[in-house]
Each structure stands twice: as structure tokens, then as C-alpha cells.
Amino acid sequence: MTRIAGWLFAPVPKARIAAFRTLVYLFVPLDLIFFSAWIKSHGNLPGNLYQPLVVGRLLHLPTPTHLIVNAIFYALIPLSLLAATGRAHRLLGWTVFALYFEWMIIAMSYGKIDHDRYAILVALAVLPTAGRARHGDQTPTEAGGFALRATQLAVVATYFLASISKFRYGGLAWLTGATLTRSFIRRGTALAQWLLKIPGFTTVSQFGIVGFELFSPIVFFVKPKWRYAIVAGFYLFHLMTISLITISFIPHQIAMTAFLPLETVRPIHWLRRWRDRAKESPEPAGEPATAV
């Protein structure tokens, strides 16, 4: 148990938590405005079309209305921007999580359930427990380490459980059938249409996808340099997904940054250094006066 606890609470620099927190909370308004704006239309649907998820029924959440949906939408945007500053991290963090959680219940209670939101929901749930964190602070934190580890576990669970779901509902036919062929025909890009002409490409890809998902937990058992390579492979997988069938896993990819040393990416610090250097650099000497 001590080993497991040490792994779950492995300390990370507070600066990494500050960067991750800023990134996640800044993503929320972008998601509402650009990626999940379609959810707003659910407030205009008849109430009898609302079939709440199990958690929605257990919590007795109200049937979405125009007022409820718009109230959540317009409250989440400023609150998440405030949360991105790191101030009042518990109060703002729990509030943003609760509202975004309800936003997802509204989204997924009309017959379509996306699994790219699980890890970002976990990230929003654990960030309020990560404690105070400032950009540039290298002090180690176990609470922050747990927040990142929980998010990492959610990222990998998304992949691993997706492979289990494929076997559960599609069986071996998911591997050997026309799964990708149907997807390429229905919503494939020009690149996907070209790849369809290669004999056996889709079948080999199906085996590759399931193998990738089944073995995704290996990311936890390798050295850091290999871990970063595997995470780069995760991102490459999603790049291929969007380039072939235009399916974007943007929320999942934001959560996946929990694997990265985000504290080394400090754009504001870089801009300040550039500004200071520009001030310190001597002005070019003027041209010598020409004798008359």
C-alpha cells in the first residue's frame, strides 16, 4: 500500500499545477463557445426527449430548459476565466466543476454519449484539491501530484475501456469487419478515401487501434523519456483521427497534458525576458556627421 500511495501522490512542482490549472480552465470557455455550443440547443427541445444518465437520475437533476441551459452557459464562461487565475481555487474550482458536470449531463442525455469528456471532467474534479500553486514555484506538492495522477489515470482509462467496449458490443467483428471502412465512407476526408484503395489497410488499422488502446497503460511503467514518446504517440493518434474522419478529441487532449512538464512552458516569462533584453540593448549609433 505504501508503494501505491507513493505512486499516487508522487510530488510535482507547484508550477506544473499552476500551468495545468490555467490551461484546463481556459479551455472551458473555448469549449462552450466553439466545441460544444450545440448543447445550448438542448434547452429548446421538448422535455420528453430528455433521458437523463444514471447519475442525473440519482441526483434528481432538473429537465433542461432554455433558462437553465443559458444560465449555465453564461455563468461558466466568467467563472472559469476567474478560476484560471488560481485565486479562490476551491470555491471557483468546485463551482466550475459542478456547472460543467451539469453541462455534460445535459449534453449526453439525448441519446449520444461521447467518451472524450471523461478525463477533462476528472481534471476539473481534482483541481480544487490540488492546493495553491503559482507559476514558477518549484516547491513539490503531493496534493498536486495526486490531481495530475488522477487525470492521467482517467486519460488511460478512456483508451483501455474503449477497447473493452469494442469487444463487448462488436466482438471480434470489430477487428475483422468493415468498421473503419464504414466510417471512411460515411465521414472520411479525401485522405481517408485514398487510403480505402489500399487493400487491407482498414483491417490492419483496426487491429492497431485496439492494440494501442489495450496496451495504453504501459505509459505508467516506462522511464520518463519513453513516457513522453508514448504520449506523443497518443497525440499522433488523434492527429490521424481528425485528418481521416474529422473526429476531434480536444477535451481529452487538454487533459492529456497532465503527463507533460508544463512548468517549463512559460510564455509570459519569455515575453518579459524579451522585453527586458530589448530595453537593455544599446541603441544603434547614429551615422557620423558629414563635413560641409
Side-chain angles (χ1 to χ4, degrees):
M1 287 297 291
T2 305
R3 271 189 171 185
I4 295 175
W7 181 76
L8 283 173
F9 292 87
V12 298
K14 287 187 176 182
R16 188 175 302 182
I17 296 301
F20 185 65
R21 174 179 286 152
T22 299
L23 181 62
V24 169
Y25 286 130
L26 286 181
F27 168 74
V28 172
L30 291 176
D31 183 36
L32 267 65
I33 296 170
F34 297 106
F35 303 114
S36 63
W38 53 271
I39 298 173
K40 285 185 69 178
S41 64
H42 287 177
N44 302 320
L45 297 177
N48 61 348
L49 295 180
Y50 177 63
Q51 300 295 322
L53 303 175
V54 172
V55 65
R57 295 196 298 271
L58 290 175
L59 295 176
H60 301 287
L61 297 176
T63 299
T65 63
H66 181 80
L67 176 61
I68 290 174
V69 173
N70 279 274
I72 294 172
F73 180 87
Y74 289 108
L76 261 177
I77 293 175
L79 288 173
S80 57
L81 291 175
L82 287 172
T85 67
R87 299 182 182 276
H89 63 279
R90 289 192 182 91
L91 176 62
L92 288 172
W94 288 122
T95 304
V96 169
F97 167 69
L99 291 174
Y100 192 81
F101 180 77
E102 170 63 358
W103 185 250
M104 288 296 100
I105 296 296
I106 293 172
M108 309 304 169
S109 294
Y110 291 85
K112 180 179 181 291
I113 300 177
D114 298 327
H115 62 292
D116 64 333
R117 306 277 170 165
Y118 174 61
I120 198 74
L121 269 173
V122 171
L124 290 171
V126 295
L127 273 173
T129 71
R132 296 182 182 276
R134 296 182 63 183
H135 293 276
D137 187 352
Q138 297 301 313
T139 306
T141 167
E142 291 186 351
F146 173 76
L148 290 184
R149 187 69 78 198
T151 306
Q152 292 170 1
L153 287 167
V155 167
V156 173
T158 301
Y159 293 130
F160 185 78
L161 294 177
S163 64
I164 300 302
S165 180
K166 289 177 177 63
F167 284 120
R168 180 183 178 187
Y169 296 105
L172 292 177
W174 200 98
L175 295 169
T176 60
T179 309
L180 284 184
T181 300
R182 286 195 300 270
S183 295
F184 284 8
I185 292 174
R186 184 167 58 91
R187 58 181 302 161
T189 62
L191 176 59
Q193 301 302 325
W194 179 76
L195 290 173
L196 270 177
K197 300 174 183 178
I198 302 176
F201 174 82
T202 55
T203 302
V204 171
S205 298
Q206 286 160 196
F207 275 90
I209 290 170
V210 172
F212 152 73
E213 291 174 339
L214 279 175
F215 289 99
S216 58
I218 200 173
V219 72
F220 293 122
F221 303 100
V222 296
K223 293 181 179 180
K225 64 177 182 179
W226 292 110
R227 184 175 305 123
Y228 296 142
I230 292 172
V231 172
F234 291 170
Y235 278 106
L236 182 60
F237 171 76
H238 292 295
L239 178 61
M240 291 299 295
T241 301
I242 195 169
S243 64
L244 292 176
I245 52 177
T246 64
I247 292 180
S248 164
F249 265 61
I250 294 295
H252 181 82
Q253 294 176 69
I254 294 295
M256 203 155 59
T257 60
F259 283 101
L260 304 178
L262 294 175
E263 71 276 12
T264 61
V265 182
R266 301 179 62 188
I268 295 177
H269 176 69
W270 296 339
L271 286 172
R272 286 174 179 170
R273 286 178 58 185
W274 177 82
R275 181 197 61 190
D276 293 341
R277 286 178 181 176
K279 287 181 178 180
E280 292 173 1
S281 60
E283 294 183 3
E287 294 183 3
T290 304
V292 178

